[in-house]
Amino acid sequence: MLHHKNVVITGGSSGIGKAMAILFAAHGANIMILGTSEEKGKNAVEAIKQAAMSPKQCIEYRVCDVSNFISVENLFLQDIVKQFPIIDVLVNNAGITRDGFLIKMKEQDWDDVIAVNLKSIFNTTRVVVRAMMREKKGKIINISSIVGLVGNAGQTNYAAAKSGMIGFSKALAQEVARKNICVNCIAPGYIETAMTEVLSEDVQSALLQKIPMQRMGIPLDVAKVALFLASDLSDYVTGQVITVDGGMVL
Ligand code: NDP
C-alpha cells in the first residue's frame, strides 16, 4: 500500500510511532524516524528493517529534538532532503506527558509539553509542506489524543497541546486542500506503551471500565488507521479526527 513512498515519523523509535514504522515498512515504504535517544533509534531501525518488504528500502534514524525549530529546519533542509527529495507522508507522533493539577503545575512542565507535542508540528510541517505543495500531493498525519477532545483532570498542558493539534490540522487542511494534500488527526484512547505503563493499577482498572471494548488498545490498532490515512485509500479525506479508542468517546 505504500510501495516506494517516503515517510518521516517523529517519535518513531518506540510505542505507537515504532508500530507505524514497522507496518508501513511491511507495506513497502522507505522510513525515516526521528527521536532524541540514539540507542532507542538504532534498536527500532533493526526491527523496522526486519519487517520491510525488501532490503532495498531505506530505513534510517536521525537524532532530533523536534521541539527545536532550528534543529528541525537544518535536519530536513540539509540532511533528510538527500535521502528523501520528496516526502510523501509526514507523521507527527512525538509526544510527552508531564501530568499534574493546574494549581501545582510547574511552568517548565507546561512549556515542555506544549513544545514537544504542539510546537513540534509547526516546526516539521512548515518545512515539509512547502515541498509537498510543489509536488501537489502529500499526507500529513498528526497524532493527537482523545484528551484533546474531552479533556482529562491532571492534564491541562497535554489537553491544550492535543486540542491545539486538532485546530492546527483543520486550518492547514483548508490551506492546502487545493494542492492535493490531506491533513488529518488520529486521536488514540488508552494504548499500551511506555507512556501509559506509568499509570497505577487502580487508574488502569478504572479506565478499563470506561472502555466499551473492555481492553486497552495496542500500538498496532493505531498504526492500522495511520496506514489508511497514509495510503491512497484516503485520498478524499482531509481535516478529520479519527478516534481509535475502543468506543470511549462516542
Ligand atoms: P512513547 O513514549 O512510547 O513514544 C514517544 C516517542 O516520542 C518516542 O519515540 C520518543 O523518542 C519521541 N520523543 C519524545 N520527545 C521527543 C522530542 N523532543 N523530539 C523527538 N522525539 C521525541 O509514547 P506513545 O507511543 O504512547 O505516544 C506516541 C504519541 O501518541 C504521542 O504523541 C502521544 O501523546 C500519543 N498518544 C498516546 C496515547 C497512549 O495511550 N499511549 C494515547 C493518546 C495519544 P525519544 O525517547 O528517543 O525521544
mmCIF file of all heavy atoms in Angstrom, residues 30-66:
data_model
loop_
_atom_site.group_PDB
_atom_site.id
_atom_site.type_symbol
_atom_site.label_atom_id
_atom_site.label_comp_id
_atom_site.label_asym_id
_atom_site.label_seq_id
_atom_site.Cartn_x
_atom_site.Cartn_y
_atom_site.Cartn_z
ATOM 1 N N ASN A 30 9.753 3.583 2.398
ATOM 2 C CA ASN A 30 11.052 3.994 2.954
ATOM 3 C C ASN A 30 10.749 4.819 4.194
ATOM 4 O O ASN A 30 9.839 5.666 4.156
ATOM 5 C CB ASN A 30 11.815 4.859 1.951
ATOM 6 C CG ASN A 30 12.083 4.110 0.664
ATOM 7 O OD1 ASN A 30 12.555 2.991 0.684
ATOM 8 N ND2 ASN A 30 11.756 4.727 -0.463
ATOM 9 N N ILE A 31 11.511 4.595 5.266
ATOM 10 C CA ILE A 31 11.139 5.198 6.548
ATOM 11 C C ILE A 31 12.309 5.968 7.165
ATOM 12 O O ILE A 31 13.425 5.456 7.249
ATOM 13 C CB ILE A 31 10.742 4.104 7.578
ATOM 14 C CG1 ILE A 31 9.687 3.152 7.007
ATOM 15 C CG2 ILE A 31 10.306 4.726 8.903
ATOM 16 C CD1 ILE A 31 8.270 3.626 7.063
ATOM 17 N N MET A 32 12.027 7.179 7.605
ATOM 18 C CA MET A 32 12.982 7.960 8.413
ATOM 19 C C MET A 32 12.304 8.246 9.744
ATOM 20 O O MET A 32 11.231 8.866 9.766
ATOM 21 C CB MET A 32 13.281 9.270 7.680
ATOM 22 C CG MET A 32 14.209 10.213 8.387
ATOM 23 S SD MET A 32 15.932 9.733 8.264
ATOM 24 C CE MET A 32 16.247 9.940 6.511
ATOM 25 N N ILE A 33 12.900 7.749 10.845
ATOM 26 C CA ILE A 33 12.297 8.037 12.152
ATOM 27 C C ILE A 33 13.174 9.033 12.914
ATOM 28 O O ILE A 33 14.400 9.032 12.791
ATOM 29 C CB ILE A 33 12.060 6.752 12.997
ATOM 30 C CG1 ILE A 33 13.349 5.962 13.213
ATOM 31 C CG2 ILE A 33 11.002 5.873 12.346
ATOM 32 C CD1 ILE A 33 13.186 4.789 14.171
ATOM 33 N N LEU A 34 12.538 9.881 13.689
ATOM 34 C CA LEU A 34 13.247 10.895 14.477
ATOM 35 C C LEU A 34 12.955 10.696 15.956
ATOM 36 O O LEU A 34 11.827 10.371 16.335
ATOM 37 C CB LEU A 34 12.795 12.315 14.095
ATOM 38 C CG LEU A 34 12.697 12.673 12.619
ATOM 39 C CD1 LEU A 34 12.298 14.134 12.457
ATOM 40 C CD2 LEU A 34 14.009 12.408 11.920
ATOM 41 N N GLY A 35 13.978 10.916 16.781
ATOM 42 C CA GLY A 35 13.801 10.829 18.229
ATOM 43 C C GLY A 35 15.022 11.422 18.907
ATOM 44 O O GLY A 35 15.954 11.867 18.219
ATOM 45 N N THR A 36 15.051 11.411 20.217
ATOM 46 C CA THR A 36 16.195 12.029 20.907
ATOM 47 C C THR A 36 17.203 11.007 21.418
ATOM 48 O O THR A 36 18.327 11.367 21.740
ATOM 49 C CB THR A 36 15.727 12.912 22.095
ATOM 50 O OG1 THR A 36 15.056 12.080 23.042
ATOM 51 C CG2 THR A 36 14.807 14.023 21.632
ATOM 52 N N SER A 37 16.804 9.732 21.524
ATOM 53 C CA SER A 37 17.729 8.724 22.066
ATOM 54 C C SER A 37 18.312 7.876 20.945
ATOM 55 O O SER A 37 17.591 7.151 20.256
ATOM 56 C CB SER A 37 16.982 7.842 23.075
ATOM 57 O OG SER A 37 17.557 6.559 23.119
ATOM 58 N N GLU A 38 19.650 7.981 20.787
ATOM 59 C CA GLU A 38 20.359 7.261 19.717
ATOM 60 C C GLU A 38 20.146 5.748 19.843
ATOM 61 O O GLU A 38 19.878 5.055 18.857
ATOM 62 C CB GLU A 38 21.861 7.589 19.844
ATOM 63 C CG GLU A 38 22.721 6.915 18.818
ATOM 64 C CD GLU A 38 23.180 7.869 17.722
ATOM 65 O OE1 GLU A 38 23.603 8.987 18.055
ATOM 66 O OE2 GLU A 38 23.077 7.477 16.545
ATOM 67 N N GLU A 39 20.230 5.246 21.076
ATOM 68 C CA GLU A 39 20.149 3.796 21.273
ATOM 69 C C GLU A 39 18.756 3.252 20.887
ATOM 70 O O GLU A 39 18.637 2.251 20.180
ATOM 71 C CB GLU A 39 20.457 3.471 22.733
ATOM 72 C CG GLU A 39 20.917 2.033 22.891
ATOM 73 C CD GLU A 39 20.998 1.638 24.353
ATOM 74 O OE1 GLU A 39 21.245 2.526 25.194
ATOM 75 O OE2 GLU A 39 20.793 0.443 24.629
ATOM 76 N N LYS A 40 17.722 3.959 21.371
ATOM 77 C CA LYS A 40 16.356 3.528 21.018
ATOM 78 C C LYS A 40 16.163 3.548 19.500
ATOM 79 O O LYS A 40 15.542 2.665 18.919
ATOM 80 C CB LYS A 40 15.330 4.467 21.661
ATOM 81 C CG LYS A 40 14.856 4.021 23.034
ATOM 82 C CD LYS A 40 14.134 5.118 23.774
ATOM 83 C CE LYS A 40 12.750 5.413 23.272
ATOM 84 N NZ LYS A 40 12.077 6.466 24.084
ATOM 85 N N GLY A 41 16.733 4.564 18.871
ATOM 86 C CA GLY A 41 16.604 4.708 17.420
ATOM 87 C C GLY A 41 17.251 3.552 16.684
ATOM 88 O O GLY A 41 16.659 2.980 15.755
ATOM 89 N N LYS A 42 18.479 3.180 17.121
ATOM 90 C CA LYS A 42 19.197 2.074 16.453
ATOM 91 C C LYS A 42 18.414 0.773 16.584
ATOM 92 O O LYS A 42 18.278 0.013 15.623
ATOM 93 C CB LYS A 42 20.576 1.895 17.098
ATOM 94 C CG LYS A 42 21.618 2.832 16.550
ATOM 95 C CD LYS A 42 22.982 2.453 17.109
ATOM 96 C CE LYS A 42 24.009 3.498 16.747
ATOM 97 N NZ LYS A 42 25.179 3.446 17.619
ATOM 98 N N ASN A 43 17.902 0.507 17.790
ATOM 99 C CA ASN A 43 17.130 -0.727 18.006
ATOM 100 C C ASN A 43 15.882 -0.750 17.137
ATOM 101 O O ASN A 43 15.520 -1.778 16.563
ATOM 102 C CB ASN A 43 16.731 -0.868 19.479
ATOM 103 C CG ASN A 43 17.947 -1.107 20.356
ATOM 104 O OD1 ASN A 43 18.975 -1.562 19.864
ATOM 105 N ND2 ASN A 43 17.838 -0.782 21.636
ATOM 106 N N ALA A 44 15.228 0.401 17.055
ATOM 107 C CA ALA A 44 13.996 0.466 16.248
ATOM 108 C C ALA A 44 14.312 0.215 14.776
ATOM 109 O O ALA A 44 13.576 -0.502 14.096
ATOM 110 C CB ALA A 44 13.322 1.820 16.434
ATOM 111 N N VAL A 45 15.413 0.791 14.289
ATOM 112 C CA VAL A 45 15.775 0.608 12.871
ATOM 113 C C VAL A 45 15.939 -0.883 12.559
ATOM 114 O O VAL A 45 15.467 -1.363 11.516
ATOM 115 C CB VAL A 45 17.056 1.412 12.528
ATOM 116 C CG1 VAL A 45 17.690 0.907 11.239
ATOM 117 C CG2 VAL A 45 16.727 2.893 12.402
ATOM 118 N N GLU A 46 16.580 -1.624 13.475
ATOM 119 C CA GLU A 46 16.743 -3.072 13.249
ATOM 120 C C GLU A 46 15.384 -3.755 13.102
ATOM 121 O O GLU A 46 15.172 -4.556 12.201
ATOM 122 C CB GLU A 46 17.526 -3.717 14.404
ATOM 123 C CG GLU A 46 19.012 -3.391 14.385
ATOM 124 C CD GLU A 46 19.619 -3.525 12.984
ATOM 125 O OE1 GLU A 46 19.449 -4.596 12.371
ATOM 126 O OE2 GLU A 46 20.212 -2.544 12.483
ATOM 127 N N ALA A 47 14.465 -3.435 14.014
ATOM 128 C CA ALA A 47 13.134 -4.066 13.983
ATOM 129 C C ALA A 47 12.370 -3.683 12.712
ATOM 130 O O ALA A 47 11.692 -4.519 12.100
ATOM 131 C CB ALA A 47 12.332 -3.646 15.216
ATOM 132 N N ILE A 48 12.507 -2.432 12.300
ATOM 133 C CA ILE A 48 11.782 -1.960 11.104
ATOM 134 C C ILE A 48 12.356 -2.641 9.853
ATOM 135 O O ILE A 48 11.614 -3.061 8.958
ATOM 136 C CB ILE A 48 11.852 -0.421 10.992
ATOM 137 C CG1 ILE A 48 11.217 0.235 12.231
ATOM 138 C CG2 ILE A 48 11.137 0.071 9.735
ATOM 139 C CD1 ILE A 48 11.602 1.692 12.442
ATOM 140 N N LYS A 49 13.711 -2.767 9.810
ATOM 141 C CA LYS A 49 14.343 -3.426 8.649
ATOM 142 C C LYS A 49 13.857 -4.862 8.517
ATOM 143 O O LYS A 49 13.639 -5.363 7.418
ATOM 144 C CB LYS A 49 15.867 -3.410 8.812
ATOM 145 C CG LYS A 49 16.497 -2.098 8.400
ATOM 146 C CD LYS A 49 18.009 -2.179 8.435
ATOM 147 C CE LYS A 49 18.617 -0.888 7.922
ATOM 148 N NZ LYS A 49 20.039 -0.767 8.249
ATOM 149 N N GLN A 50 13.706 -5.537 9.657
ATOM 150 C CA GLN A 50 13.252 -6.940 9.603
ATOM 151 C C GLN A 50 11.837 -7.053 9.022
ATOM 152 O O GLN A 50 11.494 -8.059 8.425
ATOM 153 C CB GLN A 50 13.278 -7.542 10.996
ATOM 154 C CG GLN A 50 14.683 -7.970 11.388
ATOM 155 C CD GLN A 50 14.748 -8.558 12.778
ATOM 156 O OE1 GLN A 50 13.732 -8.956 13.327
ATOM 157 N NE2 GLN A 50 15.942 -8.574 13.340
ATOM 158 N N ALA A 51 11.038 -6.009 9.242
ATOM 159 C CA ALA A 51 9.648 -6.053 8.767
ATOM 160 C C ALA A 51 9.517 -5.608 7.311
ATOM 161 O O ALA A 51 8.486 -5.834 6.683
ATOM 162 C CB ALA A 51 8.783 -5.148 9.642
ATOM 163 N N ALA A 52 10.572 -4.970 6.777
ATOM 164 C CA ALA A 52 10.472 -4.371 5.437
ATOM 165 C C ALA A 52 10.229 -5.425 4.357
ATOM 166 O O ALA A 52 10.615 -6.579 4.513
ATOM 167 C CB ALA A 52 11.744 -3.586 5.127
ATOM 168 N N MET A 53 9.593 -4.990 3.256
ATOM 169 C CA MET A 53 9.324 -5.912 2.136
ATOM 170 C C MET A 53 10.607 -6.303 1.417
ATOM 171 O O MET A 53 10.725 -7.401 0.906
ATOM 172 C CB MET A 53 8.408 -5.217 1.109
ATOM 173 C CG MET A 53 6.943 -5.270 1.439
ATOM 174 S SD MET A 53 6.004 -4.316 0.240
ATOM 175 C CE MET A 53 5.986 -5.417 -1.140
ATOM 176 N N SER A 54 11.550 -5.325 1.363
ATOM 177 C CA SER A 54 12.775 -5.573 0.594
ATOM 178 C C SER A 54 13.971 -4.921 1.302
ATOM 179 O O SER A 54 13.821 -3.861 1.905
ATOM 180 C CB SER A 54 12.593 -4.979 -0.806
ATOM 181 O OG SER A 54 13.770 -4.375 -1.254
ATOM 182 N N PRO A 55 15.173 -5.537 1.194
ATOM 183 C CA PRO A 55 16.358 -4.932 1.816
ATOM 184 C C PRO A 55 16.752 -3.612 1.152
ATOM 185 O O PRO A 55 17.580 -2.855 1.664
ATOM 186 C CB PRO A 55 17.454 -6.002 1.647
ATOM 187 C CG PRO A 55 16.928 -6.982 0.656
ATOM 188 C CD PRO A 55 15.449 -6.831 0.570
ATOM 189 N N LYS A 56 16.155 -3.332 -0.014
ATOM 190 C CA LYS A 56 16.495 -2.085 -0.729
ATOM 191 C C LYS A 56 15.789 -0.871 -0.132
ATOM 192 O O LYS A 56 16.144 0.271 -0.440
ATOM 193 C CB LYS A 56 16.121 -2.213 -2.202
ATOM 194 C CG LYS A 56 17.035 -3.152 -2.950
ATOM 195 C CD LYS A 56 16.729 -3.104 -4.432
ATOM 196 C CE LYS A 56 17.583 -4.130 -5.167
ATOM 197 N NZ LYS A 56 16.935 -4.654 -6.347
ATOM 198 N N GLN A 57 14.798 -1.115 0.698
ATOM 199 C CA GLN A 57 14.088 0.034 1.307
ATOM 200 C C GLN A 57 15.043 0.808 2.222
ATOM 201 O O GLN A 57 15.844 0.210 2.945
ATOM 202 C CB GLN A 57 12.882 -0.459 2.120
ATOM 203 C CG GLN A 57 11.669 -0.808 1.268
ATOM 204 C CD GLN A 57 10.631 -1.618 2.029
ATOM 205 O OE1 GLN A 57 10.440 -2.799 1.759
ATOM 206 N NE2 GLN A 57 9.979 -0.994 2.989
ATOM 207 N N CYS A 58 14.943 2.131 2.192
ATOM 208 C CA CYS A 58 15.775 2.967 3.062
ATOM 209 C C CYS A 58 15.080 3.068 4.434
ATOM 210 O O CYS A 58 13.941 3.526 4.520
ATOM 211 C CB CYS A 58 15.911 4.348 2.410
ATOM 212 S SG CYS A 58 16.640 5.568 3.485
ATOM 213 N N ILE A 59 15.759 2.597 5.480
ATOM 214 C CA ILE A 59 15.189 2.667 6.828
ATOM 215 C C ILE A 59 16.242 3.353 7.697
ATOM 216 O O ILE A 59 17.311 2.784 7.942
ATOM 217 C CB ILE A 59 14.910 1.251 7.421
ATOM 218 C CG1 ILE A 59 14.146 0.343 6.436
ATOM 219 C CG2 ILE A 59 14.212 1.376 8.782
ATOM 220 C CD1 ILE A 59 12.698 0.669 6.214
ATOM 221 N N GLU A 60 15.995 4.576 8.127
ATOM 222 C CA GLU A 60 17.032 5.304 8.862
ATOM 223 C C GLU A 60 16.462 6.047 10.058
ATOM 224 O O GLU A 60 15.260 6.261 10.169
ATOM 225 C CB GLU A 60 17.744 6.277 7.921
ATOM 226 C CG GLU A 60 18.508 5.519 6.847
ATOM 227 C CD GLU A 60 19.578 6.336 6.180
ATOM 228 O OE1 GLU A 60 19.855 7.463 6.614
ATOM 229 O OE2 GLU A 60 20.142 5.805 5.190
ATOM 230 N N TYR A 61 17.405 6.444 10.923
ATOM 231 C CA TYR A 61 17.051 7.148 12.155
ATOM 232 C C TYR A 61 17.886 8.418 12.247
ATOM 233 O O TYR A 61 19.053 8.426 11.853
ATOM 234 C CB TYR A 61 17.369 6.246 13.350
ATOM 235 C CG TYR A 61 17.203 6.918 14.692
ATOM 236 C CD1 TYR A 61 15.936 7.150 15.215
ATOM 237 C CD2 TYR A 61 18.316 7.340 15.435
ATOM 238 C CE1 TYR A 61 15.780 7.776 16.439
ATOM 239 C CE2 TYR A 61 18.159 7.963 16.664
ATOM 240 C CZ TYR A 61 16.887 8.176 17.155
ATOM 241 O OH TYR A 61 16.729 8.799 18.361
ATOM 242 N N ARG A 62 17.295 9.472 12.719
ATOM 243 C CA ARG A 62 18.056 10.686 12.998
ATOM 244 C C ARG A 62 17.733 11.183 14.409
ATOM 245 O O ARG A 62 16.553 11.190 14.795
ATOM 246 C CB ARG A 62 17.697 11.816 12.012
ATOM 247 C CG ARG A 62 18.065 11.533 10.587
ATOM 248 C CD ARG A 62 19.584 11.605 10.351
ATOM 249 N NE ARG A 62 19.878 11.471 8.932
ATOM 250 C CZ ARG A 62 20.020 10.304 8.283
ATOM 251 N NH1 ARG A 62 19.914 9.164 8.938
ATOM 252 N NH2 ARG A 62 20.288 10.288 6.989
ATOM 253 N N VAL A 63 18.780 11.619 15.110
ATOM 254 C CA VAL A 63 18.558 12.249 16.408
ATOM 255 C C VAL A 63 18.124 13.689 16.167
ATOM 256 O O VAL A 63 18.788 14.433 15.443
ATOM 257 C CB VAL A 63 19.868 12.238 17.241
ATOM 258 C CG1 VAL A 63 19.690 13.065 18.510
ATOM 259 C CG2 VAL A 63 20.255 10.812 17.593
ATOM 260 N N CYS A 64 16.978 14.051 16.738
ATOM 261 C CA CYS A 64 16.491 15.426 16.573
ATOM 262 C C CYS A 64 15.442 15.724 17.635
ATOM 263 O O CYS A 64 14.495 14.956 17.801
ATOM 264 C CB CYS A 64 15.874 15.603 15.178
ATOM 265 S SG CYS A 64 15.193 17.252 14.892
ATOM 266 N N ASP A 65 15.648 16.817 18.336
ATOM 267 C CA ASP A 65 14.607 17.282 19.266
ATOM 268 C C ASP A 65 13.616 18.080 18.422
ATOM 269 O O ASP A 65 13.913 19.203 17.999
ATOM 270 C CB ASP A 65 15.241 18.155 20.350
ATOM 271 C CG ASP A 65 14.188 18.790 21.248
ATOM 272 O OD1 ASP A 65 12.974 18.563 21.030
ATOM 273 O OD2 ASP A 65 14.584 19.530 22.166
ATOM 274 N N VAL A 66 12.449 17.501 18.171
ATOM 275 C CA VAL A 66 11.514 18.132 17.231
ATOM 276 C C VAL A 66 10.898 19.427 17.768
ATOM 277 O O VAL A 66 10.249 20.161 17.027
ATOM 278 C CB VAL A 66 10.397 17.161 16.760
ATOM 279 C CG1 VAL A 66 10.964 16.099 15.833
ATOM 280 C CG2 VAL A 66 9.653 16.541 17.921
#
